[in-house]
Amino acid sequence: MASDRQGTAEAADADRRIPPGQRHVHGWPVSHYGPVPRFRPDRWTLRVHDATADGAEHSWTFDELALLPHVTVVADLHCASGPTSTDHEWYGIPATALLDLVPPAPEVTHVMAWAEYGYSANLRLADFTAAQTLLATHHNGEPLTAEHGFPLRLVVPHLYGYKSPKWLRAVEYLTENRRGFWEERGYHNIADPWKEQRYSYQEQNEDGAVREA
């Protein structure tokens, strides 16, 4: 009987964490655009570039990433198509550590996260520096699988999943907003699941003018 009550309480807690229009799913569905890239450690780097405070590009090899600060974050993952999976344990480099190492120029307002094959996702700087945003190398205590983003995946758990690109390769500092891959194809610039910000048409004011995101 006690275990039944505990199970009911856990289910109710999960329901409270499901944004409107989402459905709770078990496991971790694989979803991405295009093929899974092959990891070539001798060629792989993570770059931070464009509007850096010192004007220079900075990069790390995969082995060098292990020397950076790491944290563990437990968070849910919301796909804009509807599924929400809960209680993911991510381990990786907090995005704030990256900005400490490579400060952006004062006029930077957004970042563009670049992944393999030219995939990109734009983020407000405030979303990139959120407490739970990290560059993940592990999931639930194990290295990421190739299908889920190995060797490095950006995780922005408070936004829809298309803002958390797999196979991250670069972070570009932007002084003005620019749409990424899915944003150019009709998806919302901000992507807050609690506001159901799925599509670009929702960015319009009553007069039809597109709002700044």
Side-chain angles (χ1 to χ4, degrees):
M1 183 68 71
S3 61
D4 290 343
R5 287 197 297 270
Q6 181 180 0
T8 301
E10 289 175 352
D13 176 64
D15 288 342
R16 285 192 294 270
R17 289 154 49 191
I18 307 302
Q22 297 292 110
R23 64 186 184 278
H24 185 221
V25 297
H26 296 285
W28 189 12
V30 174
S31 177
H32 56 259
Y33 182 86
V36 175
R38 178 185 174 188
F39 175 52
R40 296 177 172 86
D42 57 325
R43 303 181 187 178
W44 193 95
T45 58
L46 174 71
R47 298 185 301 123
V48 178
H49 62 97
D50 205 16
T52 60
D54 63 4
E57 178 179 303
H58 300 258
S59 66
W60 297 265
T61 66
F62 184 67
D63 289 340
E64 288 171 339
L65 290 182
L67 304 178
L68 303 185
H70 284 65
V71 296
T72 297
V73 168
V74 177
D76 303 335
L77 188 60
H78 312 291
C79 179
S81 63
T84 286
S85 50
T86 55
D87 295 317
H88 295 272
E89 183 183 283
W90 307 99
Y91 177 77
I93 303 153
T96 51
L98 204 67
L99 273 79
D100 288 340
L101 290 166
V102 186
E107 61 270 25
V108 168
T109 58
H110 293 75
V111 303
M112 187 72 79
W114 289 98
E116 297 283 3
Y117 305 128
Y119 180 91
S120 59
N122 60 312
L123 294 161
R124 297 175 298 184
L125 187 61
D127 291 316
F128 189 69
T129 59
Q132 289 194 309
T133 300
L134 79 163
L135 286 61
T137 58
H138 289 67
H139 176 265
N140 288 352
E142 299 290 338
L144 289 168
T145 62
E147 293 80 5
H148 284 299
F150 180 83
L152 192 66
R153 173 182 184 150
L154 180 63
V155 176
V156 190
H158 65 284
L159 301 180
Y160 282 126
Y162 64 89
K163 296 290 189 178
S164 297
K166 304 174 184 179
W167 312 301
L168 185 70
R169 293 299 305 272
V171 175
E172 178 185 3
Y173 291 162
L174 304 176
T175 57
E176 59 182 21
N177 194 21
R178 192 171 77 240
R179 290 181 181 271
F181 180 88
W182 284 117
E183 295 82 6
E184 287 184 332
R185 290 160 174 79
Y187 280 78
H188 202 283
N189 246 328
I190 298 177
D192 185 338
W194 294 98
K195 297 179 180 179
E196 295 192 80
Q197 293 176 332
R198 287 182 170 86
Y199 305 113
S200 58
Y201 72 81
Q202 296 170 301
E203 298 168 18
Q204 294 184 341
N205 288 323
E206 291 181 359
D207 61 3
V210 177
R211 293 193 302 241
E212 290 294 329

